RNA sequence: GCUGCUGUAGCUCAGUGGUAGAGCACUCCCUUGGUAAGGGAGAGGCCGUGAGUUCGAUUCUCCCCAGCAGCACCA
């Protein structure tokens, strides 16, 4: 006899070995029909599992949010079955659920094409309609390896060997087809439903390791209902429309070209945004007690050796020989024997050099040293992506040199600064990850223990929620990653705070403590926006190109209807400019419809229209981006209104 | 860097084994027109680079380069 506890507080007794299926069928037929799985003590489980005494049982209905991962996982199995039914020679590997769907990696000589996806989808639909029941079996390891070997499934054998010996080896069958899987699954493949779609094909490394073979990955997504699938596909389409590379070209903000891959050519309009953001953050940093510096681009490789970058980061550095290139065309340009310099990939070692000038007292700390440092990193070609991933970048970087007892306070202050800045840019949803020691790192484990503990304690002291991001820290210390959620629900890592005991040690930075001893300062590496390039990319996508007026490259266009209004229009532009606004006239020989359309497409926030009537009366007809109608105001009212609106948020009183 | 796909006018894209087309943008002309495209004319391309197959290649094949997607890496 076993006792089962239900969410409503009820308890019921069943005979030993009773399954979830039996329980739900005993409660109600209609509930049983909708139930696809269960939670036993909070853990998702197969409905067909026998229950044990004293468990807390909840049923998972197909349209519960927690059923989504089951739908997707089952869809991945159906995908694998479909592929093997069409191409029996294909080996299956793994097929997990991911944030917005699932994928399955296959080993196959010929990669899949987009056309194959439609064919596979059809086959999946057939399989789902066949409605095979999922059944679970526990297999003996050797037996399992024999079976998979006989099927030519070599990757599965590797997977079996990776499963700890104390764990059962579970096989899930769906009709004739079966797969090694930890489960759980729903009742039948029919529970997958019809709201699924295969979205793309790609190569992916076996076990995510670049040293391994490349597999063919098929991505897909699945939802409980067609409507949710449609909404998701709509979001993807929306993301494509907002692509900052496309908008950057359309709005004439920046461009890239072959000769400078990964580096941005900022056009005048784009650079307005860049400069506005830099000026804004400079004011914010100044208010928060930072002092700005500027350090060299090129530094001797000896310094990078000392800092640890030469050993741990060299593959991402641009190394430059310190010699005069040969001007003889018959000779090699470089001798290959010169001393080596490197373009800085980070500002930290240079900041330590400034710190080390003169003797620092404990009274001087914390020192908050900021730099809009232009850094170069030799990113892999395949990593480059518009403004989001570039080779030349400018961070809103700063290093805080402080005592260990100041770490918590500095962390709090930094978080406060982040909140203000993100709010000013309209981001309200911020999540935090604590990234711990990576495999490739400098410093001993005791130092890492201390660093991770200190950073975590400091973060806890701010009272913020966070999650752990295992193994993703910087090579010199653990870091906090601040992720912003954008207007269409995507998450972007922007801010970072990294705690570093090692660099001051390696570069021999010290201060004189209260007792007269020499002490190492702690270094906090931190950025709020991350890199300006990437942050601007995020802003463009967040706003779909419609920048807030304080950032808009052109804030107002003064467009005329008839040439008799030209003079008044130019006078208005002068007035707006004198008030500090970015205003442009449009006196072209075009109809007002044409002008309005063009400036709307260009996302100009305000169009001030001047016809004969307005020119005579000293008024303007004001049309806002996205609004249908227009409002008539006097010239002075317009100037006053726009000055108020266009003031950067930190200067707004 | 790895796998796959792509590379034709400033942009978005057609197209063909016999050296090319559209729309928008651009220039000029007509039009002075009240809030998302007025009309007409014109100019603009070594069809990514190099090699091969061929009488002939932008088209087929290969190398390289770049871009895109994903992976790996990462701000």
């Amino acid at each position: 006899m076993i006792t089962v506890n239900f969410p409503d507080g009820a308890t019921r007794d069943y005979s030993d070995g009773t399954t979830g299926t039996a329980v739900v069928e005993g409660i109600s037929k209609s509930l049983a029909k909708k139930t696809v799985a269960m939670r036993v003590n909070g853990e998702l489980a197969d409905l067909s599992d026998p229950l044990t005494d004293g468990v807390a049982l909840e049923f998972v209905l197909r349209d519960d949010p927690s059923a989504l991962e089951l739908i997707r996982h089952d869809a991945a199995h159906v995908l694998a079955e479909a592929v093997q039914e069409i191409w029996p020679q294909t080996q299956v590997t793994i097929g997990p659920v991911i944030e917005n769907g699932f994928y399955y990696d296959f080993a196959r000589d010929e990669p899949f094409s987009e056309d194959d996806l439609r064919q596979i989808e059809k086959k999946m639909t057939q399989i789902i309609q066949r409605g095979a029941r999922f059944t679970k079996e526990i297999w003996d390891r050797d037996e399992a390896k024999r079976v998979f070997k006989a099927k030519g499934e070599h990757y599965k054998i590797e997977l079996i060997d990776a499963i700890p010996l104390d764990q059962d080896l579970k096989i899930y069958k769906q009709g004739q087809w079966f797969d090694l899987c930890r489960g759980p699954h729903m009742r039948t493949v029919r529970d997958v439903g019809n709201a699924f779609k295969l979205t793309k094909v790609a190569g992916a490394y076996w076990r995510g390791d670049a040293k391994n073979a490349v597999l063919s990955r098929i991505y897909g997504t699945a939802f409980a209902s067609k409507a949710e699938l449609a909404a998701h596909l709509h979001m993807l389409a929306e993301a494509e429309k907002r692509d900052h590379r496309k908008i950057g070209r359309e709005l004439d903000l920046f461009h890239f070209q072959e000769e400078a891959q990964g580096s941005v050519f900022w056009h005048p309009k784009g650079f307005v945004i860049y400069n506005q953001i830099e000026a804004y953050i400079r004011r914010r940093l100044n208010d928060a007690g930072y002092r700005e510096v500027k350090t060299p681009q090129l530094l001797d490789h000896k310094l990078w050796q000392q800092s640890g970058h030469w050993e741990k980061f060299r593959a991402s550095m641009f190394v430059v020989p310190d010699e005069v290139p040969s001007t003889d065309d018959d000779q090699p340009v470089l001798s290959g024997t010169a001393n080596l310099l490197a373009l800085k990939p980070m500002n930290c070692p240079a900041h330590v050099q400034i710190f080390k000038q003169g003797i620092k007292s404990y009274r001087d700390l914390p020192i908050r040293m900021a730099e809009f440092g232009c850094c170069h990193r030799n990113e892999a070609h395949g990593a480059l992506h518009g403004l989001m991933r570039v080779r030349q970048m400018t961070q809103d970087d700063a290093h805080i040199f402080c005592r260990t007892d100041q770490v918590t306070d500095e962390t709090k202050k930094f978080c406060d600064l982040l909140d203000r800045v993100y709010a000013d840019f309209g981001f309200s949803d911020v999540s935090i990850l604590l990234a711990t020691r990576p495999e490739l790192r400098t410093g001993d484990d005791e130092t890492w223990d201390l660093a991770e503990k200190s950073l975590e304690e400091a973060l806890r002291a701010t009272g913020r929620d966070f999650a752990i991001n295992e193994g993703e820290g910087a090579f010199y210390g653990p870091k906090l990653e601040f992720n912003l959620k954008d207007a269409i629900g995507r998450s972007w890592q922007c801010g970072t705070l990294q705690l570093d005991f090692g660099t001051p040690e390696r570069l021999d930075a010290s201060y004189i403590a209260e007792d007269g001893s020499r002490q190492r300062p702690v270094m906090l590496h931190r950025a709020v926006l991350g890199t300006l390039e990437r942050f601007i990319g995020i802003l463009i996508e967040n706003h779909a190109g419609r920048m807030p007026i304080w950032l808009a490259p052109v804030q107002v266009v003064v467009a005329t209807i008839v040439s008799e209004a030209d003079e008044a229009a130019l006078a208005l532009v002068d007035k707006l400019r004198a008030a500090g606004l970015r205003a442009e006239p449009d006196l072209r020989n075009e109809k007002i419809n044409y002008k309005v359309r063009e400036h709307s497409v260009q996302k100009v926030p305000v169009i001030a229209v001047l016809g004969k009537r307005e020119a005579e009366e000293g008024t303007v007809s004001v049309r806002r981006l996205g609004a249908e109608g227009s409002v008539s105001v006097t010239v002075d009212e317009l100037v006053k209104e726009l000055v108020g609106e266009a003031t950067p948020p930190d200067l707004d009183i």
Side-chain angles (χ1 to χ4, degrees):
Chain A
M1 195 66 102
I2 58 168
T3 303
V4 173
N5 303 297
F6 292 91
D8 61 358
T11 62
R12 289 174 74 170
D13 294 336
Y14 295 94
S15 59
D16 288 346
T18 301
T19 64
T21 312
V23 172
V24 70
E25 282 174 350
I27 293 173
S28 123
K29 270 228 158 85
S30 61
L31 181 66
K33 208 170 175 181
K34 288 184 285 188
T35 301
V36 294
M38 62 181 173
R39 273 182 192 284
V40 177
N41 297 329
E43 295 284 322
L44 279 172
D46 294 321
L47 200 56
S48 56
D49 281 352
L51 298 166
T52 53
D53 190 32
V55 295
L57 177 66
E58 285 173 78
F59 295 114
V60 175
L61 310 188
R62 189 173 178 279
D63 49 6
D64 285 348
S66 60
L68 192 56
E69 63 175 288
L70 296 174
I71 291 172
R72 289 171 176 173
H73 188 188
D74 289 8
H77 277 237
V78 172
L79 164 61
E81 181 180 356
V83 166
Q84 288 202 313
E85 202 168 314
I86 302 172
W87 299 283
Q89 300 311 311
T90 308
Q91 288 187 64
V92 290
T93 67
I94 57 163
V97 171
I98 51 173
E99 196 181 349
N100 288 309
F102 61 87
Y103 66 80
Y104 209 111
D105 284 346
F106 300 93
R108 189 181 181 228
D109 292 339
E110 203 183 324
F112 297 103
S113 71
E114 298 283 336
D115 294 339
D116 291 336
L117 295 186
R118 304 289 84 80
Q119 189 190 350
I120 300 167
E121 280 173 356
K122 275 197 193 116
K123 182 61 76 180
M124 287 174 71
T125 301
Q126 286 172 15
I127 291 168
I128 289 166
Q129 282 167 355
R130 292 204 294 252
R133 180 164 288 278
F134 282 108
T135 55
K136 177 169 58 179
E137 295 174 4
I138 308 296
W139 282 16
D140 173 72
R141 300 177 90 89
D142 293 332
E143 175 63 17
K145 280 161 82 167
R146 240 191 327 276
V147 170
F148 282 113
K149 193 169 184 187
K151 291 180 68 183
E153 298 282 7
H154 305 294
Y155 288 95
K156 286 290 173 189
I157 294 168
E158 270 195 60
L159 290 173
I160 291 170
D161 285 333
I163 297 174
L165 288 169
D166 60 339
Q167 278 181 27
D168 282 341
L169 211 146
K170 291 184 262 185
I171 299 290
Y172 278 84
K173 286 192 170 171
Q174 54 198 67
Q176 296 301 304
W177 195 83
F178 60 90
D179 197 4
L180 174 74
C181 179
R182 72 166 67 88
H185 284 277
M186 298 186 290
R187 300 164 303 185
T188 73
V189 293
R190 201 183 293 277
D191 289 329
V192 171
N194 59 2
F196 67 89
K197 186 174 170 62
L198 302 181
T199 48
K200 56 195 164 198
V201 293
Y205 300 111
W206 166 236
R207 302 196 145 172
D209 189 330
K211 288 194 276 294
N212 290 341
V214 174
L215 306 170
S216 289
R217 176 171 295 179
I218 295 179
Y219 282 93
T221 191
F223 288 87
S225 70
K226 284 254 185 195
E228 289 165 276
L229 174 64
H232 176 70
L233 296 176
H234 179 261
M235 194 279 284
L236 293 182
E238 183 61 25
E240 203 177 316
K241 267 192 263 172
R242 289 166 177 249
D243 189 319
H244 72 282
R245 294 166 299 184
K246 181 169 164 275
I247 292 176
R249 189 167 48 235
E250 287 167 356
L251 303 192
D252 194 19
L253 303 177
F254 55 83
H255 85 269
F256 292 91
Q257 65 186 52
E258 275 191 38
E259 292 80 357
Q261 37 182 291
S263 298
V264 191
F265 288 79
W266 286 106
H267 295 196
K269 284 183 185 170
F271 205 53
V272 166
I273 299 173
Y274 185 107
N275 277 331
Q276 286 300 314
I277 292 173
E278 188 181 291
Y280 161 84
I281 203 79
R282 177 174 278 129
R283 292 189 300 266
R284 280 289 187 214
L285 288 177
N286 192 48
D287 292 348
Y290 289 79
R291 305 291 299 282
E292 192 176 341
V293 298
K294 196 77 178 171
T295 60
Q297 280 317 120
L298 276 171
L299 291 146
D300 197 289
H301 80 288
K302 287 193 201 77
L303 181 70
W304 300 114
Q305 280 176 333
Q306 220 185 332
S307 67
H309 287 81
W310 200 251
E311 191 191 347
K312 307 291 180 190
F313 207 74
R314 191 169 60 209
S316 300
M317 288 165 72
F318 286 103
V319 173
V320 182
D322 181 12
E323 72 175 8
V324 179
S326 168
T327 51
D328 184 343
D329 289 341
D330 298 329
Q331 295 293 314
V333 177
L334 300 170
S335 69
T337 59
N339 183 37
L340 297 177
L341 307 175
L343 282 167
K344 64 174 170 183
M346 300 182 192
N347 302 304
C348 28
H351 287 186
V352 175
Q353 305 313 307
I354 294 181
F355 178 88
K356 283 171 67 180
Q357 297 300 302
I359 306 258
K360 295 293 182 292
S361 153
Y362 70 95
R363 296 174 205 272
D364 297 324
L365 305 183
I367 291 173
R368 306 188 190 92
M369 197 182 292
E371 176 169 2
F372 292 94
C374 174
C375 293
H376 287 81
R377 295 184 192 171
N378 197 348
E379 301 288 351
H381 287 77
L384 301 176
H385 181 89
L387 295 176
M388 301 302 190
R389 198 70 184 276
V390 291
R391 284 182 163 169
Q392 180 190 307
M393 72 210 80
T394 304
Q395 293 169 293
D396 62 326
D397 193 22
H399 294 92
I400 300 170
F401 297 87
C402 66
R403 306 189 305 259
T404 47
D405 63 292
Q406 293 172 319
V407 169
T408 299
D409 194 41
E410 288 304 313
T411 301
K412 275 186 191 160
K413 285 192 167 121
F414 177 66
C415 288
D416 291 344
L417 175 65
L418 276 172
D419 284 344
R420 262 197 303 278
V421 171
Y422 291 162
D424 284 345
F425 283 103
F427 295 105
S428 54
D429 190 338
V430 183
S431 61
I432 305 174
L433 292 175
L434 170 61
T436 56
R437 70 194 76 184
E439 266 179 52
L440 189 69
R441 59 178 183 261
T442 55
D444 54 47
D445 286 351
E446 293 83 76
T447 309
W448 274 93
D449 288 342
L450 181 63
E452 285 171 2
K453 189 164 150 276
S454 309
L455 191 57
E456 182 169 341
E457 276 171 10
L459 179 56
R460 284 193 192 283
T462 69
R464 283 152 212 263
D465 290 334
F466 64 95
I468 302 288
N469 194 7
E470 202 68 51
E472 297 293 325
F475 72 80
Y476 45 76
K479 66 178 176 186
L480 301 181
E481 300 171 346
F482 296 85
N483 295 284
L484 302 181
K485 194 157 258 187
D486 76 5
I488 55 172
R490 296 172 304 174
S491 193
W492 304 95
Q493 194 204 310
C494 292
T496 179
L497 175 71
Q498 303 162 7
L499 193 154
D500 180 7
F501 290 120
T503 304
E505 178 77 35
R506 289 176 150 272
L507 297 177
D508 193 27
S510 63
Y511 67 91
I512 309 298
E514 203 168 356
D515 63 1
S517 65
R518 265 181 119 78
Q519 299 290 334
R520 295 282 175 221
V522 185
M523 253 176 111
L524 298 177
H525 307 240
R526 39 105 299 156
V528 180
L529 306 179
T531 72
L532 290 178
E533 289 82 1
R534 183 178 144 86
F535 191 73
I536 292 169
I538 294 167
L539 276 184
I540 290 170
E541 301 209 354
N542 185 56
H543 295 290
R546 299 162 70 138
M547 302 304 270
I549 191 165
W550 69 282
L551 293 171
V554 176
Q555 294 169 317
V556 49
V557 164
V558 180
T560 51
I561 295 171
V562 291
S563 49
E564 288 156 285
D566 286 2
E567 207 178 310
L570 289 172
L572 176 55
V573 167
D574 284 345
K575 231 173 185 171
L576 290 163
R577 285 180 176 168
L581 290 156
R582 296 184 287 276
E584 298 292 339
D586 183 357
L587 313 182
R588 291 174 304 170
N589 175 15
E590 297 291 351
K591 290 200 169 183
I592 193 61
N593 286 331
Y594 184 91
K595 294 184 184 183
V596 165
R597 176 183 152 78
E598 192 169 284
H599 301 304
S600 299
V601 166
Q602 285 292 307
K603 321 269 189 235
V604 175
V606 178
I607 304 173
V609 176
L610 284 171
K612 196 173 171 190
R613 192 168 68 234
E614 287 82 359
E616 281 166 0
E617 292 173 352
T619 60
V620 282
S621 169
V622 180
R623 184 189 167 106
R624 302 275 171 163
L625 181 59
E628 298 236 323
S630 56
V631 181
S632 183
V633 296
T634 68
V635 165
D636 291 336
E637 279 166 352
L638 177 69
V639 174
K640 198 175 158 215
E641 202 176 309
L642 292 186
V643 164
E645 285 177 40
T647 303
D650 63 309
L651 298 177
D652 222 1
I653 304 157

